[in-house]
Amino acid sequence: MPQKRSWAQLVSKIHDAVTSARGKEVLLFLLFLMISYVFWLLLTLNNEMQEDIEVPVEIAGIPDSVTVITNPPAVLKVSVRDKGSALMKYKMGGVKPVKINWADYSSAKNKFLLNKADLGARLRDYFGAGSQIVTMLPDSISLNYTTSPGRKVAVKVIADLKPIFGSIINGPITTSTDSVWLFSVEDLPHSLKSVETMPIVRGSLSDTTSITVSIKPVPGVRIVPDEITVKVPVEPLIARKQMATVIAKNLPDNISLHTFPSRVEIAYLVPMSEYNSEPYEINAYVDYKDIAHNSTGKLPVSLSLLPESYHSAEAIPDSVEYITEHKVSIE
């Protein structure tokens, strides 16, 4: 009920404003303003104008055996002079593509050529006899093509990729395709057995990332596909710990060595996907030869070789106290 009452009050206020003397003057002014605009629009549309219009290009009827080497223009930028009413439809109703039949302009010399005169005639037919083509860009369409089979070559990814601190690129960088096809009017050099991507430079990668990158162009060659998707597997690093027994190496046969503590804690980082995997057996070592130039009463602890997925490994503590004993020989 309160909402209906407020609407009724609003309608009443609007009615009072419109039917008042001031309201009638405003309505009359708006009416004359609208009539003036209509007359101005009619006069303007009847005048000759010049407009820049982008006309899409559609080449139809390309045989399946043909590979176009040169990319055709997506649009023609045409400056047209005509009556405003004639040009208005292109602004209001959109611009349909100008269709060009492949067979009309292709030759046996691997060349598709629509020269300036022919292109201008096509555009005059497109816009109508009353229009005047002032400029067009490009002013002709020239394409190279081939009917020869292509060559399949490998793709090399050129990339400088860095993960965010605390993460790692874990695993191989993969691509949507590992090879592309090359087409050329001339014979391709036998040395051309691979192509490269444009350089990829990305930093602070925090998660697995897919990057679309273009293939580096080769002059006079059509590359299919001309871009690929590169997938970079990024994972966070997780802290993990395990214990390792301290083992003495390079001990003389008549010497035994005991360390305190006899076991140390190994702390390291692993990718999240490997956190629950079976831990790799890690050994901790002290070297008897370090005693000769040791003045602290402690021996530094070194670790055995670790898997590539183990990062920033350290022993805690990183040095241990020790005692040595001579072994008693029994005759």
Side-chain angles (χ1 to χ4, degrees):
M1 288 295 293
Q3 186 176 5
K4 289 184 179 180
R5 188 179 299 111
S6 62
W7 276 107
Q9 291 174 350
L10 179 61
V11 171
S12 178
K13 289 181 180 180
I14 294 174
H15 178 268
D16 293 343
V18 170
T19 56
S20 66
R22 181 65 175 170
K24 290 178 180 178
E25 289 177 0
V26 172
L27 287 177
L28 187 61
F29 170 76
L30 292 175
L31 177 61
F32 279 109
L33 184 63
M34 184 178 296
I35 293 172
S36 300
Y37 173 75
V38 171
F39 277 111
W40 172 84
L41 186 61
L42 290 174
L43 289 172
T44 301
L45 292 178
N46 198 44
N47 290 336
E48 197 172 69
M49 302 173 61
Q50 184 172 322
E51 287 285 346
D52 294 330
I53 299 174
E54 290 190 348
V55 181
V57 177
E58 183 180 313
I59 299 178
I62 301 177
D64 294 336
S65 60
V66 166
T67 301
V68 180
I69 306 300
T70 312
N71 289 324
V75 296
L76 298 171
K77 297 181 179 180
V78 186
S79 184
V80 187
R81 179 175 291 277
D82 204 341
K83 287 186 177 182
S85 55
L87 296 176
M88 182 62 69
K89 64 180 180 181
Y90 298 106
K91 293 293 185 180
M92 302 296 293
V95 182
K96 296 180 180 180
V98 57
K99 294 186 178 181
I100 302 168
N101 189 18
W102 174 267
D104 293 341
Y105 301 99
S106 60
S107 68
K109 297 181 179 180
N110 292 350
K111 179 73 80 174
F112 174 94
L113 178 60
L114 182 57
N115 60 34
K116 183 176 182 179
D118 290 336
L119 182 57
R122 295 298 301 266
L123 289 174
R124 282 190 293 273
D125 291 342
Y126 178 88
F127 286 104
S131 63
Q132 178 187 353
I133 308 300
V134 181
T135 60
M136 53 186 178
L137 188 67
D139 60 4
S140 62
I141 300 177
S142 178
L143 310 175
N144 295 320
Y145 70 90
T146 182
T147 56
S148 301
R151 180 192 298 174
K152 196 174 187 180
V153 299
V155 175
K156 294 181 179 180
V157 177
I158 306 300
D160 181 11
L161 305 167
K162 292 181 174 62
I164 197 171
F165 179 77
S167 293
I168 187 175
I169 297 176
N170 186 38
I173 296 173
T174 58
T175 56
S176 56
T177 179
D178 61 359
S179 58
V180 295
W181 287 93
L182 306 183
F183 299 89
S184 177
V185 176
E186 307 294 335
D187 290 336
L188 292 167
H190 292 291
S191 59
L192 186 57
K193 296 181 179 179
S194 65
V195 292
E196 298 178 345
T197 64
M198 298 298 288
I200 306 171
V201 180
R202 292 286 181 92
S204 301
L205 298 175
S206 59
D207 199 358
T208 296
T209 304
S210 293
I211 304 168
T212 299
V213 59
S214 299
I215 305 296
K216 188 176 181 179
V218 179
V221 175
R222 173 75 182 276
I223 303 175
V224 180
D226 59 1
E227 64 179 23
I228 63 172
T229 300
V230 177
K231 187 175 183 180
V232 187
V234 179
E235 286 189 56
L237 291 170
I238 306 298
R240 194 163 74 171
K241 297 178 180 180
Q242 65 188 78
M243 301 300 294
T245 301
V246 179
I247 301 171
K249 61 182 181 179
N250 295 318
L251 275 175
D253 293 338
N254 64 335
I255 298 292
S256 61
L257 185 147
H258 304 281
T259 64
F260 304 95
S262 61
R263 288 165 60 83
V264 294
E265 184 179 71
I266 310 300
Y268 54 93
L269 301 172
V270 293
M272 180 182 288
S273 61
E274 298 185 25
Y275 182 77
N276 293 321
S277 63
E278 187 70 22
Y280 180 80
E281 184 178 351
I282 303 175
N283 292 321
Y285 296 101
V286 292
D287 194 339
Y288 179 79
K289 293 181 179 180
D290 289 338
I291 294 177
H293 46 79
N294 183 284
S295 60
T296 62
K298 292 184 177 182
L299 291 176
V301 177
S302 60
L303 302 178
S304 58
L305 292 176
L306 300 176
E308 290 184 1
S309 58
Y310 285 36
H311 299 271
S312 303
E314 61 176 350
I316 303 173
D318 61 359
S319 61
V320 292
E321 297 179 344
Y322 66 94
I323 59 172
T324 61
E325 295 179 342
H326 286 270
K327 294 180 181 178
V328 178
S329 60
I330 300 176
E331 298 292 339

